[in-house]
């Protein structure tokens, strides 16, 4: 089962190594990891996704919390309600004939065209994993030249704020996600 | 006050109350050693850095301070790693100070550069590198604080050589005492105390008919002997111990039912198997202690008490758990759980007595290991610190030596490090110079740090090494005999070293004991002889350790 952790750490040298080595040492696979600074000076936020049985979720959470430079650990999956986003750049082959089709797909997935060459387009897409996967699948037929993506980043939802934004954006592409 | 970084290190160590450290110098720590030259701190010069780490570890396990070891950069630092890992696996506090190349050379593959922070990463509680001389007092305070609080463990402090030479301001850090979290680490939480399930635990204990309390290393670490004794006596609970829990309760206490696990006693293993309640305190349910985890105490509910919440459900699922310091939790729980049925508890205790393995009939005229350990207890009356190496002799010591006081049985449990016992005894000696120290060693392990006999002699440490010489790597030989069709691949030594000559060559009194009748007088002679002594006992190669639970099998599945 997939599980996403949001981990606040001190922004100290080696902290990435301490966090990632913990997963390696404890025999858990990291599906995705991303780290960036936060609005608080000296504090970084890791978003870490693992795919493991539930026993491991509990272990990972507690072992992470024991790292001296870790400030807090939150199991977002456990908490239930959170927003998760990935970001990708996709360079796709685009001839004069296929261009309109690609624009259409880009529109459906709310991509932005960030670079345009004579035979290729680069799209920028933001969304959760499922949305990005669906978009990649849709573009595959035209020939993806290369792509780069961030790990997923996530935040717990604020309480009492309606979640319709998220639902709306899902509605636009969910029909395209193949099983 | 303007001092060099090296002087600040020494001053900070003095402020921590450090009196003894273990180490061996080299290029990048010459400034530090220069500063030590003017200090009251006694530096014990070892012959190999691994020994410095084990000595610091032994010091921590026996005494009240945090052991400190020092090594130079590169090979000196990497030589510490086994010792650091050993301390980590047994939750022993330690501060390991390593030299490092100058900060502007880091990353250039400079002479004797090794990335110690990276190499040691998975085996430390924390590690840090000094970047400025001014930072050192804070770093050292934090290192000792982190090493010794919560679940203790080793901390590495990497000291680039230019930082040792740079001048800085010495200011004694005042903003964090032993009770406060270090200011540098806002997220560090020594104990995530959680006693919300206290009533549930108390109810289970009150209602249990066949409870067994398992005492682990946490009792030693939290110095919870009195709370444990009061708990066990008050609630009439039988107490089994893990290897590292040995000494948590006097081994001659009527409630003590012996060591559990792979080479545990039959009474402890059978009682655990038949129990309806396990109360594990400061024990982490290691595979060597519990055997096959699915079969472990199948008819029992489990109450797990630990200072480290990550241990809960890690190896054995708990029905009820309490997070906190062992002594404090035991005190609180003892009160809450009073009101048990004394009659059924006594019947259970009687029953456990019948579970013991049959007494060994020993009519032979051989140099049996047990005779040596019984003689040790007779001669010392149990007033002794015992350190062990790793192997059969370690298990015999655990089975037969009666530890009467806490923190006096010093052994490498989690990592099982051969080469631990001889140097750990040095740390034990400096932690408790008032007590006799005996190291129970096998010939294989002894050869891993034999060079420290020279350190014994140079500092005239009155350590007595009892060498169980079976001319083989006995424990491995035993597995090969039982599980590998007696195919003794690379375990039998074609030649015995002359241990007496080796010891004498290093200035240690030594003699060999040729007949079992002379065991006791030999130990008496060793104890009476001032300074270090090595007593060489040639024992039969065929001696095995029983009971034995084959690896991965249920505790009930003992070969007796
Ligand atoms: C550093 C290290 N290497 C290898 C082992 C594996 N090992 C465990 S016990 C043992 C044999 C120990 O021999 P000895 O010290 O003579 O003790 P004995 O079992 O004969 O009493 C070995 C090789 C180990 N525990 N530690």
């Amino acid at each position: 089962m997939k599980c996403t952790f949001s981990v606040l750490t001190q922004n100290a040298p080696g902290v990435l190594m301490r966090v990632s080595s913990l997963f390696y040492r404890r025999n858990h696979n990291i599906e995705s990891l991303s780290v960036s600074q936060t609005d608080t000076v000296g504090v970084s936020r890791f978003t870490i996704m693992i795919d493991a049985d539930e026993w491991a979720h509990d272990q990972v959470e507690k072992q992470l919390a024991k790292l001296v430079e870790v400030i807090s650990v939150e199991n977002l999956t456990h908490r239930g309600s959170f927003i998760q986003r990935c970001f990708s750049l996709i360079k796709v082959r685009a001839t004069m004939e296929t261009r309109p089709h690609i624009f259409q797909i880009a529109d459906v997935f709310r991509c932005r065209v960030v670079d345009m060459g004579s035979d290729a387009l680069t799209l920028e897409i933001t969304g959760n994993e499922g949305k990005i996967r669906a978009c990649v699948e849709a573009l595959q037929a035209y020939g993806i030249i290369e792509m780069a993506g961030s790990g997923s980043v996530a935040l717990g939802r604020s309480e009492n704020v309606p979640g319709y934004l998220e639902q709306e954006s899902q509605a636009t592409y969910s029909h395209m996600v193949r099983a | 006050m303007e001092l060099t970084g090296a002087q600040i290190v020494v001053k900070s160590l003095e402020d921590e109350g450090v009196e003894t450290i273990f180490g061996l110098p080299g290029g990048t720590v010459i400034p530090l050693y220069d500063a030590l030259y003017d200090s009251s701190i006694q530096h014990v010069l070892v012959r190999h850095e691994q020994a410095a780490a084990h000595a610091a570890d032994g010091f921590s396990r026996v005494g009240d301070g945090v052991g400190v070891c020092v090594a130079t950069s590169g090979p000196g630092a990497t030589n510490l790693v086994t010792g650091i890992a050993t301390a980590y696996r047994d939750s022993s506090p330690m501060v390991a100070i390593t030299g490092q190349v100058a900060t502007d050379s880091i990353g250039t593959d400079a002479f004797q550069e090794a990335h110690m922070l990276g190499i040691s990463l998975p085996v430390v509680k924390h590690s840090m590198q000094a970047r400025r001389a001014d930072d050192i007092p804070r770093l050292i305070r934090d290192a000792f604080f982190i090493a010794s609080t919560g679940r203790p463990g080793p901390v590495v402090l990497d000291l680039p050589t230019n930082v040792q030479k740079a001048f800085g301001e010495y200011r004694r850090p005042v903003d964090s005492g032993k009770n406060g979290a270090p200011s540098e680490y806002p997220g560090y939480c020594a104990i995530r105390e959680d006693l919300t399930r206290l009533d549930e635990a108390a109810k289970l204990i009150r209602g249990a008919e066949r409870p067994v309390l398992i005492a682990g290393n946490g009792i030693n670490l939290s110095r919870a002997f009195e709370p444990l004794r009061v708990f066990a006596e008050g609630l009439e609970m039988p107490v089994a111990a893990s290897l590292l829990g040995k000494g948590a309760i006097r081994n001659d206490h009527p409630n003590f039912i012996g060591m559990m696990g792979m080479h545990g006693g039959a009474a402890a293993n059978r009682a655990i198997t038949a129990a309806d309640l396990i109360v594990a305190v400061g024990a982490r349910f290691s595979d060597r202690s519990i055997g096959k985890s699915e079969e472990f105490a199948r008819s029992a509910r489990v109450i797990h008490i630990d200072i480290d919440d990550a241990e809960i459900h890690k190896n054995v699922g708990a029905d009820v758990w309490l997070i906190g310091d062992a002594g404090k939790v035991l005190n609180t729980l003892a009160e809450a759980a009073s009101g048990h049925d004394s009659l059924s508890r006594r019947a259970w205790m009687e029953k456990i007595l019948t579970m013991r393995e049959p007494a060994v009939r020993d009519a032979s005229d051989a140099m049996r290991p047990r005779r040596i350990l019984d003689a040790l207890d007779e001669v010392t009356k149990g007033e002794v610190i015992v350190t062990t190496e790793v192997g059969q002799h370690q298990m015999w010591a655990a089975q037969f030596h009666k530890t009467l006081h806490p923190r006096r049985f010093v052994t490498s449990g989690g990592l099982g490090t051969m080469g631990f016992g001889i140097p750990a005894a040095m740390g034990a000696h400096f932690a408790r110079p008032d007590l006799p120290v005996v190291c129970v060693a096998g010939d294989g392990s002894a050869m891993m740090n034999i060079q420290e006999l020279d350190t014994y002699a140079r500092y005239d440490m009155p350590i007595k090494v009892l060498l169980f010489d079976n001319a083989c790597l006995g424990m491995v030989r035993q597995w090969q005999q039982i599980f590998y069709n007696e195919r003794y691949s690379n375990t039998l030594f074609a030649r015995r070293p002359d241990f007496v000559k080796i010891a004498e060559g290093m200035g240690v009194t030594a003699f060999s004991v040729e007949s079992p009748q002379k065991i006791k007088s030999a130990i008496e002679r060793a104890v009476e002889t001032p300074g270090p002594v090595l007593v060489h006992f040639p024992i039969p190669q065929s001696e095995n350790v029983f009971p034995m639970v084959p690896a991965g099998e249920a505790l009930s599945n003992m070969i007796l």
Side-chain angles (χ1 to χ4, degrees), chain B residues 238-356:
Chain B
V239 180
S242 68
L243 176 64
L244 287 195
K246 191 171 162 67
I249 187 164
R250 279 180 76 94
N251 289 178
D252 60 0
H253 191 285
N255 291 43
F256 182 61
I257 61 172
M259 182 171 73
M260 64 189 287
M262 183 175 273
H263 293 295
N269 285 346
R270 285 172 176 157
I272 287 167
T273 306
D276 66 351
L277 178 71
I278 297 291
V279 183
V281 191
R284 64 184 177 87
F285 294 116
S286 96
D287 53 297
R288 286 301 191 257
S289 281
I290 65 167
K292 187 175 186 177
S293 63
E294 302 82 51
E295 299 285 324
F296 176 74
R298 285 187 72 168
S299 36
R301 311 289 292 271
V302 173
I303 301 174
H304 195 175
I305 300 170
D306 208 284
I307 202 164
D308 177 1
D309 63 346
E311 288 302 339
I312 309 300
H313 307 313
K314 192 184 80 180
N315 295 342
V316 165
D319 295 287
V320 176
W321 57 95
L322 300 167
I323 309 302
D325 172 77
K328 185 180 167 193
V329 177
L330 281 173
N331 283 336
T332 316
L333 191 55
E335 242 173 73
S338 63
H340 63 282
D341 173 18
S342 189
L343 230 59
S344 79
R345 292 283 160 90
R346 270 180 232 162
W348 169 230
M349 200 67 211
E350 292 290 314
K351 178 108 189 286
I352 293 175
L353 292 180
T354 67
M355 295 176 175
R356 286 181 292 196

Side-chain angles (χ1 to χ4, degrees), chain A residues 66-101:
Chain A
K66 274 164 62 179
L67 293 177
V68 170
E69 286 158 339
V70 164
I71 298 165
S72 69
V73 183
E74 195 180 8
N75 181 335
L76 292 175
T77 307
H78 198 231
R79 169 182 164 144
S81 162
F82 63 104
I83 306 154
Q84 189 154 21
R85 289 287 180 276
C86 308
F87 169 87
S88 287
L89 293 172
I90 306 168
K91 192 185 288 172
V92 62
R93 211 172 295 286
T95 61
M96 281 307 163
E97 293 76 54
T98 58
R99 230 164 249 227
H101 301 280

Side-chain angles (χ1 to χ4, degrees), chain B residues 303-444:
Chain B
I303 301 174
H304 195 175
I305 300 170
D306 208 284
I307 202 164
D308 177 1
D309 63 346
E311 288 302 339
I312 309 300
H313 307 313
K314 192 184 80 180
N315 295 342
V316 165
D319 295 287
V320 176
W321 57 95
L322 300 167
I323 309 302
D325 172 77
K328 185 180 167 193
V329 177
L330 281 173
N331 283 336
T332 316
L333 191 55
E335 242 173 73
S338 63
H340 63 282
D341 173 18
S342 189
L343 230 59
S344 79
R345 292 283 160 90
R346 270 180 232 162
W348 169 230
M349 200 67 211
E350 292 290 314
K351 178 108 189 286
I352 293 175
L353 292 180
T354 67
M355 295 176 175
R356 286 181 292 196
E357 56 268 44
V360 261
R361 282 151 277 119
D362 185 11
S364 74
D365 190 33
M367 187 83 77
R368 308 287 320 258
R370 179 172 193 152
R371 290 187 180 167
I372 305 172
L373 290 154
D374 285 347
L376 171 66
D377 282 358
E378 254 179 76
V379 173
T380 61
K381 303 195 171 52
E383 297 304 318
V384 62
I385 298 169
V386 171
T387 75
T388 80
E389 292 289 351
V390 168
Q392 293 179 309
H393 62 279
Q394 173 190 33
M395 291 300 125
W396 289 320
Q399 291 176 334
F400 304 132
H401 162 60
K402 290 211 165 6
T403 305
L404 300 184
H405 304 282
R407 300 172 69 83
R408 292 204 195 161
F409 185 76
V410 178
T411 197
S412 167
L415 202 66
T417 308
M418 292 169 70
F420 171 80
I422 287 179
M426 304 196 288
H429 164 69
F430 279 100
R432 289 299 302 269
D434 54 315
L435 287 172
V437 180
V438 167
C439 170
V440 173
D443 54 309

Side-chain angles (χ1 to χ4, degrees), chain B residues 50 82 389-394 396 415-419 441-446 448 468 470-476 493 539:
Chain B
Q50 184 190 346
T82 301
E389 292 289 351
V390 168
Q392 293 179 309
H393 62 279
Q394 173 190 33
W396 289 320
L415 202 66
T417 308
M418 292 169 70
D443 54 309
S445 303
M448 290 213 177
F468 290 47
N470 51 12
C472 66
L473 299 169
M475 185 57 93
V476 182
F493 294 112
I539 64 166

Side-chain angles (χ1 to χ4, degrees), chain A residues 89-94 99 102-103 106 111-125 145-146:
Chain A
L89 293 172
I90 306 168
K91 192 185 288 172
V92 62
R93 211 172 295 286
R99 230 164 249 227
I102 293 171
F103 281 134
C111 304
R112 291 203 312 149
V113 179
V114 290
D115 187 36
M116 202 184 282
S118 57
D119 57 355
L121 289 173
T122 303
L123 306 180
E124 168 196 306
I125 179 171
I145 300 166
E146 56 184 353

